[in-house]
Amino acid sequence: MKYLDEFRDPELARSLLAEVEATVTRPWSIMEVCGGQTHSIIRNGIDQVLDDRITLLHGPGCPVCVTPLGIIDSALEIAARPEVVFCSFGDMLRVPGSDCDLFSVKARGADVRVVYSPLDAVQVAADNPDREVVFFAVGFETTAPANAMSVHMARKRGLTNYTVLVSHVLVPPAIEAIVESEASRVDGFLAAGHVCSVMGTGQYEPLAEEHGVPVVITGFEPLDILDGIRRTVAQLEAGEARVENAYPRVVTSQGNQSAQDMLAEVFTECDRSWRGIGEIPSSGWRLADEYRAFDAELRFGVGDTAVPEPERCRSGEVLQGLIRPDECEAFGRDCTPRSPLGATMVSSEGACAAYHQYRRLDGVAVSP
Ligand code: SF4
């Protein structure tokens, strides 16, 4: 299939692996930031065929996984209200809150709908003027422009029954928090290409410079990732630390200016809590003051979101690359995709889900 097969070519993969092997002289740890990259790595066995001296660490770039428990609980509370139509992307429905998930609330009769675009939710609001329509606006810089556009369009259409429950987070502050953590073992980063397609590459320059870490922007196909690893290892071995764009078919240095303009109009930067990790300063977006009328937390009086995480779930350590999912005692036993303890086991970008789905259950007494 064009645009896929050429990025999965086994011969080219072998030559990239050989190049890494010929370059590396000592152990290095490289973190892939995005959950989509993690899934590609595990699905294609990239970590298993790499030179033993390269360790891949899985990062925090799974938007569903890092959405704090308190926000999930707020979503459950809002969705249960009889006047509300609660719209969300499908991957949020299985994410466990303190007591249940959105599927359970829907099963009890709440009007919870899966949409494929926030603009679909705006249309639901237009079609149901007597109902309160709420969209669960979760994610990184990739999903935020469309969510911002939905608020912009709702205002333009004069809809007063549309609000968004916002939990947007930003990648660079998370990388910075990981680099600055004393426990960090990361020598270099594979940054997420789709985030950079929106925001450009400039945000990573200070990170690479100030912290002395290479940041290589990569895509998601096996050859994209192998090429990103090859470039990162080459920089590390040469003692360099700079931003390198290994995904030029999608990413430009300036990013998508129209999307950035929409984000700047609708959102403003704020501190955000990351599930399992804690608060990271200036690591998210909330609605700008002139759009606060579209804020579901204000409309429904929810928002005191400090809720403790379940003690047994170690997803915070998984999301910071401190442990692998199969090093969590609950993995595959008490925590499975059918009975998850944490969001990293249910999200399509979660590292625990990737390990469970792609043959990493060796030695684990798996629950049926
Ligand atoms: S395996 Fe389950 S309990 Fe363990 S970190 Fe992952 S989601 Fe949490």
Side-chain angles (χ1 to χ4, degrees):
M1 188 186 297
K2 188 151 175 62
Y3 301 123
L4 284 181
D5 289 346
E6 57 262 62
F7 299 105
R8 297 175 180 177
D9 183 282
E11 279 308 312
L12 283 173
R14 273 190 275 276
S15 72
L16 287 166
L17 284 165
E19 212 174 315
V20 171
E21 201 175 325
T23 310
V24 67
T25 63
R26 49 151 289 184
W28 297 108
S29 294
I30 299 171
M31 174 177 277
E32 84 279 358
V33 173
C34 174
Q37 293 169 327
T38 303
H39 272 249
S40 183
I41 286 166
I42 304 301
R43 185 172 59 241
N44 292 291
I46 291 173
D47 55 329
Q48 295 177 321
V49 294
L50 265 181
D51 188 287
D52 287 347
R53 289 165 289 187
I54 308 296
T55 302
L56 294 181
L57 305 173
H58 315 311
C62 161
V64 173
C65 306
V66 300
T67 301
L69 189 53
I71 291 272
I72 305 291
D73 284 351
S74 294
L76 297 169
E77 188 183 328
I78 294 169
R81 297 185 185 221
E83 74 274 25
V84 166
V85 180
F86 195 88
C87 298
S88 171
F89 294 137
D91 52 2
M92 294 307 294
L93 268 63
R94 296 279 327 277
V95 179
S98 296
D99 297 319
C100 63
D101 57 26
L102 282 166
F103 257 134
S104 318
V105 176
K106 182 176 171 65
R108 285 180 217 137
D111 194 346
V112 177
R113 303 185 192 182
V114 172
V115 293
Y116 296 98
S117 159
L119 295 179
D120 293 344
V122 173
Q123 191 56 46
V124 173
D127 294 341
N128 297 273
D130 54 337
R131 307 284 303 279
E132 288 286 340
V133 177
V134 181
F135 179 72
F136 202 176
V138 169
F140 287 97
E141 294 93 328
T142 39
T143 51
N147 295 345
M149 172 64 88
S150 80
V151 177
H152 173 87
M153 292 303 294
R155 186 163 84 162
K156 199 169 169 190
R157 295 174 70 172
L159 300 174
T160 56
N161 63 330
Y162 179 73
T163 52
V164 284
L165 180 59
V166 178
S167 186
H168 277 305
V169 281
L170 308 173
V171 171
I175 293 183
E176 187 155 30
I178 286 171
V179 178
E180 288 178 351
S181 155
E182 282 183 11
S184 171
R185 301 184 281 143
V186 184
D187 298 307
F189 289 91
L190 302 182
H194 52 0
V195 168
C196 296
S197 72
V198 175
M199 303 304 291
T201 60
Q203 289 184 309
Y204 297 91
E205 307 281 355
L207 269 173
E209 206 171 299
E210 286 165 27
H211 297 285
V213 285
V215 178
V216 178
I217 293 151
T218 65
F220 301 86
E221 291 301 322
L223 294 189
D224 289 322
I225 290 167
L226 284 171
D227 187 38
I229 292 168
R230 178 188 68 87
R231 291 175 189 240
T232 310
V233 169
Q235 282 200 48
L236 288 166
E237 290 287 342
E240 296 172 357
R242 57 193 160 76
V243 176
E244 210 174 327
N245 182 3
Y247 199 32
R249 69 183 186 278
V250 174
V251 173
T252 61
S253 59
Q254 71 276 14
N256 182 330
Q257 193 55 53
S258 303
Q260 290 170 33
D261 291 345
M262 182 55 63
L263 290 167
E265 178 189 324
V266 174
F267 291 130
T268 188
E269 217 170 85
C270 65
D271 300 342
R272 278 267 172 221
S273 273
W274 293 55
R275 188 168 190 170
I277 299 175
E279 184 158 300
I280 302 177
S282 303
S283 67
W285 279 316
R286 66 166 175 79
L287 287 168
D289 287 344
E290 64 172 302
Y291 282 97
R292 291 311 281 269
F294 296 89
D295 189 335
E297 288 184 83
L298 292 180
R299 176 79 54 97
F300 298 98
V302 297
D304 183 12
T305 56
V307 178
E309 298 287 335
E311 269 179 29
R312 296 178 61 214
C313 178
R314 300 180 67 186
S315 59
E317 292 164 90
V318 171
L319 289 162
Q320 295 173 81
L322 301 177
I323 63 166
R324 289 193 322 267
D326 55 0
E327 291 174 304
C328 170
E329 296 73 18
F331 175 78
R333 299 182 178 93
D334 302 324
C335 180
T336 67
R338 292 180 68 177
S339 181
L341 291 177
T344 43
M345 184 54 92
V346 288
S347 168
S348 59
E349 294 186 55
C352 301
Y355 273 63
H356 199 279
Q357 188 173 353
Y358 303 115
R359 52 114 181 97
R360 298 298 170 92
L361 294 162
D362 310 350
V364 175
V366 185
S367 298

